[in-house]
């Protein structure tokens, strides 16, 4: 059942033409994709590794590996990424850091890598907006291109370090 619900949210995003891999890779800019269906809410952040970790190369040094481990731990707590305006309970989270920079040997035709973090929530009240807190973790991240589909419609906007708020009426 959980897989079906997660798949449904992802299908909603893909149905709108959202494609994380088709987007341009610009340092200082990331993406946030949001899908809401009923009480289920899914958010996916896609951030250039240079902004998330301070490097994009394969982790070789102990300081690189430590940076990955620290960020992986921080991303497990959704409050480090987003503050939801509504009563939502985190159901699951995952991020790409478990395999990031360790399995890219066959993909190193370019140097651009992203860090992805996905959060799944069950919301007891309507969600009316968000405040992106991820900027506090990543000093070189300046903006996120946000796309969403919600119970009330779809839209897009850009949030920045100085204006981290996303809102929609429910």
């Amino acid at each position: 059942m959980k897989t079906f619900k997660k798949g449904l949210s992802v299908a909603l995003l893909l149905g709108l033409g959202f494609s994380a891999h088709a987007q341009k890779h610009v340092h200082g800019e990331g993406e946030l994709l949001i899908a809401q269906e009923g009480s289920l809410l899914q958010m996916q952040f896609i951030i250039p590794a240079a902004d998330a970790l301070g490097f994009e190369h394969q982790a070789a040094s102990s300081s690189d590996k430590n940076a990955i481990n620290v960020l992986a731990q921080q991303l497990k707590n959704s409050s480090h990424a987003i503050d939801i305006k509504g009563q939502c309970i985190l159901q699951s989270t995952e991020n790409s850091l478990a395999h990031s920079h360790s399995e890219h040997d066959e993909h190193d035709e370019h140097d651009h890598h992203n860090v992805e973090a996905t959060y799944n929530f069950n919301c007891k009240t309507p969600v009316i907006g968000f405040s992106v807190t991820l900027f506090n973790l990543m000093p070189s991240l300046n903006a996120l291109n946000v796309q969403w589909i919600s119970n009330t419609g779809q839209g897009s906007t850009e949030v920045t370090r100085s204006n981290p708020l996303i809102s929609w009426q429910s």
Side-chain angles (χ1 to χ4, degrees), residues 5 9 35-42 84 87-91 120-127 150-151:
K5 290 178 182 177
S9 293
Q36 180 185 31
E37 182 180 14
S39 64
L40 303 175
L41 176 68
Q42 182 178 61
I84 300 173
Q87 291 182 345
C88 298
I89 298 168
L90 181 64
Q91 298 296 304
N120 294 293
F121 299 91
N122 190 338
C123 301
K124 295 180 180 195
T125 62
V127 174
S150 72
N151 293 329

Side-chain angles (χ1 to χ4, degrees), residues 1-8 40 42 91-93 120:
M1 182 84 161
K2 185 174 167 183
T3 303
F4 173 74
K5 290 178 182 177
K6 182 177 177 186
L8 186 57
L40 303 175
Q42 182 178 61
Q91 298 296 304
S92 66
T93 182
N120 294 293

Side-chain angles (χ1 to χ4, degrees), residues 67-125:
I68 289 172
N69 291 335
V70 167
L71 185 58
Q73 283 302 109
Q74 290 171 323
L75 290 176
K76 287 181 182 179
N77 183 342
S78 63
S79 69
H80 287 291
I82 197 88
D83 178 24
I84 300 173
K85 308 303 180 203
Q87 291 182 345
C88 298
I89 298 168
L90 181 64
Q91 298 296 304
S92 66
T93 182
E94 61 184 75
N95 64 64
S96 62
L97 292 171
H99 1 289
S100 180
H101 307 288
S102 61
E103 298 174 1
H104 285 298
D105 291 338
E106 72 258 16
H107 302 292
D108 278 338
E109 66 275 358
H110 58 80
D111 293 325
H112 303 300
H113 300 290
N114 291 323
V115 171
E116 298 181 15
T118 303
Y119 300 93
N120 294 293
F121 299 91
N122 190 338
C123 301
K124 295 180 180 195
T125 62

